[in-house]
Amino acid sequence: MDESHRYRASAGVKAINELKPILGLELTATPFTESAKGRVPFKNVIYNYPLAQAMEDGFVKEPAVVTRRNFRAAGMSPDQIEKMKLEDGVQLHEGVKVELDTYHRESGQRLVKPFLLVIARDTTHAAALQTLIASDAFFGGRYKDKVLQVDSSKTGAEEDQMVERLLRVEQTEEPTEIVIHVNMLKEGWDVTNLYTIVPLRAADSRTLVEQSIGRGLRLPYGVKTGISALDRLNIIAHDRFQEIVDDCNKGDSPLRLTTVELEPEELARKTITVTSPPAVFERLGLSEMPATAGLPPSPRVFADPRAKGVAEATMRAIETMASDTVNLPSSTRLSDPAVQARVTAAVHTALAGQLTLEGVTGLDVAAIVATTCNEVAAGTIDIPRVLTTPIGKVETGFNPFTIDVKNWNYQALTEELWIQHLRTHHTEVVTLGDRGIKEQRLEDYLWWETLEVRTDSA
């Protein structure tokens, strides 16, 4: 029984008893029941792996409670505090989004799209939050089509659309980046790309934290990245910050939260991802770079757009040949007709099925390859290879030495496998054939001989 704390109510117990179970195995992340005297721990626990241990072992994100430095609620209305928490949560969300994009580009891992979860008080509050987030006054309106309200106010086709978007929230092509929910996503909703939570409903500290973090602790890559922003779950709690920290520091708390204080400089900083491909890519028309203010865009080398595919294949061939330091010791050799001929042959091989298509047959592949090679050679500064050479007199030679082999008694392994059947004790022998160690160089063998010299006494 998963989420077994849900079966402790009278109706749940009655339904289970009607099945006349012999044994019940219960799973839960909250092994206790609520009573007038407080929380009563489950009995008959056969295995316990607490959340704090999972955090220490690196299987889940590290939850962190977030506030502004020197935050004071005095003089601020509840609406002002709520709006500040929401805006600060979006600021953190955008920072995580940039970090994930950078990690994807540098590591080659799949791109993860993060989202932010807002916990509203009721459906009316949720609708007001969605109106605010979708307005032009909220971050310039850029979240207008990226917010999803999840609550019981949706029915029929609207409910179906809501559920469909919610189930696809991990997919990068799904635009949703902010989810507003009212008490509907506390359990049974497993996602890996939740990084920021903004709780805006009243609850005691422990319930608030436990219901919040359960949705966002899973790691999108299965393991931690070593990047703090990507291994952390942010809980925005300006006005409840110290209360939550104190509660989590109690001895019976399953958590140990870290704290994050937002500096004014961080809140004002706008982070974006900027890619900077080599200028030769722009000249060849293989990438678009933002134009420098006041300067016209660089002219394209190839006027014919069909040449782009040949230029791309040429760049791939050059990249492959770059590791051949004998035939291509530097980029200047790309201007050599012999090198260009080899690149042309590689391009013909890579595009064998495309160069015969209608509309492509008229391309002068050799000329495109030559132009591309010359552009790369002209726009590349080679990193010199540093060789360390000794200074002064260098002496080499052979010195005699004696090997003590009296304790050597190594026997060559036979090329056979012995197979023992455990039930019948029958033994089989399988011959592997000649798979002995073969040295690649004769110098790697160790030989020794005894040389006897005799002289004629006469």
Side-chain angles (χ1 to χ4, degrees):
M1 294 176 283
D2 193 15
E3 307 288 0
S4 68
H5 54 276
R6 287 296 178 187
Y7 305 121
R8 296 306 176 102
S10 57
V13 171
K14 180 181 179 181
I16 292 175
N17 288 340
E18 289 176 352
L19 299 175
K20 295 181 173 54
I22 298 174
L23 176 68
L25 293 178
E26 305 182 2
L27 304 172
T28 181
T30 51
F32 49 77
T33 55
E34 299 284 358
S35 69
K37 297 181 179 180
R39 296 185 171 186
V40 180
F42 282 5
K43 300 178 181 179
N44 302 325
V45 176
I46 60 175
Y47 184 76
N48 180 35
Y49 187 69
L51 181 58
Q53 187 64 50
M55 294 176 188
E56 184 176 341
D57 293 342
F59 293 133
V60 294
K61 297 191 189 91
E62 292 287 343
V65 59
V66 181
T67 187
R68 287 200 185 190
R69 173 168 290 188
N70 300 323
F71 174 80
R72 296 290 183 272
M76 298 182 65
S77 67
D79 289 344
Q80 289 175 322
I81 295 175
E82 184 175 283
K83 188 170 184 292
M84 176 184 291
K85 291 167 65 175
L86 193 60
E87 290 176 345
D88 290 351
V90 172
Q91 286 280 98
L92 275 181
H93 162 74
E94 293 187 343
V96 170
K97 188 176 180 181
V98 171
E99 291 282 0
L100 283 167
D101 184 44
T102 303
Y103 180 73
H104 153 69
R105 294 173 185 273
E106 293 180 347
S107 69
Q109 295 278 4
R110 63 182 177 86
L111 178 62
V112 172
K113 179 206 69 175
F115 79 94
L116 178 148
L117 180 66
V118 181
I119 305 174
R121 295 188 297 271
D122 50 42
T123 56
T124 302
H125 185 216
L129 289 172
Q130 179 164 15
T131 301
L132 170 64
I133 295 171
S135 68
D136 293 334
F138 190 81
F139 286 86
R142 62 175 174 266
Y143 290 98
K144 185 172 300 184
D145 300 320
K146 299 179 181 180
V147 57
L148 173 64
Q149 180 181 343
V150 180
D151 57 44
S152 58
S153 65
K154 302 290 190 300
T155 57
E158 284 189 339
E159 183 181 15
D160 294 340
Q161 183 183 20
M162 175 190 74
V163 172
E164 182 182 357
R165 287 183 61 182
L166 188 64
L167 293 176
R168 298 174 60 240
V169 74
E170 288 182 290
Q171 301 178 16
T172 54
E173 64 272 14
E174 215 293 318
T176 302
E177 292 188 33
I178 299 178
V179 174
I180 306 171
H181 89 93
V182 181
N183 209 29
M184 287 186 67
L185 303 176
K186 294 190 300 181
E187 299 161 349
W189 184 47
D190 299 330
V191 289
T192 61
N193 59 332
L194 174 57
Y195 277 90
T196 308
I197 299 176
V198 183
L200 300 179
R201 61 183 289 266
D204 66 87
S205 299
R206 179 166 296 188
T207 302
L208 176 69
V209 172
E210 290 175 354
Q211 291 184 353
S212 299
I213 67 172
R215 309 281 63 83
L217 288 181
R218 293 168 181 82
L219 295 165
Y221 300 107
V223 296
K224 290 188 174 180
T225 64
I227 302 172
S228 177
L230 304 188
D231 298 334
R232 186 180 70 222
L233 172 66
N234 301 304
I235 304 173
I236 311 297
H238 295 4
D239 50 335
R240 307 287 297 278
F241 178 81
Q242 194 58 50
E243 180 185 342
I244 292 175
V245 170
D246 292 341
D247 192 79
C248 289
N249 285 333
K250 293 179 180 178
D252 62 342
S253 173
L255 305 175
R256 288 295 182 269
L257 293 185
T258 57
T259 61
V260 177
E261 291 186 348
L262 298 177
E263 300 279 359
E265 296 79 7
E266 293 180 89
L267 294 170
R269 186 183 304 125
K270 305 296 183 182
T271 55
I272 60 173
T273 300
V274 178
T275 58
S276 180
V280 67
F281 278 70
E282 183 194 14
R283 285 182 51 77
L284 294 174
L286 304 183
S287 68
E288 295 293 335
M289 297 180 64
T292 305
L295 296 178
S298 302
R300 295 290 187 265
V301 172
F302 300 117
D304 190 343
R306 298 177 303 166
K308 180 179 177 180
V310 178
E312 288 178 339
T314 302
M315 295 298 292
R316 290 194 296 269
I318 292 174
E319 184 178 354
T320 301
M321 293 178 61
S323 59
D324 185 0
T325 57
V326 176
N327 294 314
L328 191 61
S330 69
S331 61
T332 57
R333 289 289 299 276
L334 288 171
S335 300
D336 187 338
V339 174
Q340 293 180 1
R342 289 200 298 272
V343 176
T344 302
V347 171
H348 274 286
T349 301
L351 303 179
Q354 303 178 33
L355 296 177
T356 58
L357 296 177
E358 183 179 355
V360 184
T361 54
L363 288 177
D364 189 343
V365 175
I368 297 173
V369 169
T371 302
T372 304
C373 288
N374 292 334
E375 286 289 332
V376 173
T380 302
I381 300 176
D382 290 326
I383 300 175
R385 294 183 176 88
V386 178
L387 300 178
T388 303
T389 57
I391 299 176
K393 184 179 180 181
V394 179
E395 295 182 352
T396 61
F398 296 94
N399 296 316
F401 60 92
T402 302
I403 299 178
D404 184 4
V405 297
K406 62 183 179 182
N407 293 324
W408 287 16
N409 189 26
Y410 301 123
Q411 301 297 318
L413 295 176
T414 61
E415 300 298 322
E416 296 177 340
L417 293 179
W418 284 37
I419 303 174
Q420 177 76 40
H421 290 243
L422 298 180
R423 183 177 63 84
T424 63
H425 304 292
H426 174 66
T427 301
E428 294 182 53
V429 179
V430 176
T431 302
L432 299 175
D434 187 9
R435 298 197 311 173
I437 298 176
K438 296 291 188 293
E439 298 291 350
Q440 296 182 354
R441 304 187 317 157
L442 187 61
E443 299 94 311
D444 292 339
Y445 286 95
L446 179 63
W447 294 82
W448 67 88
E449 296 182 2
T450 301
L451 177 63
E452 182 179 3
V453 179
R454 296 183 178 184
T455 58
D456 190 344
S457 60

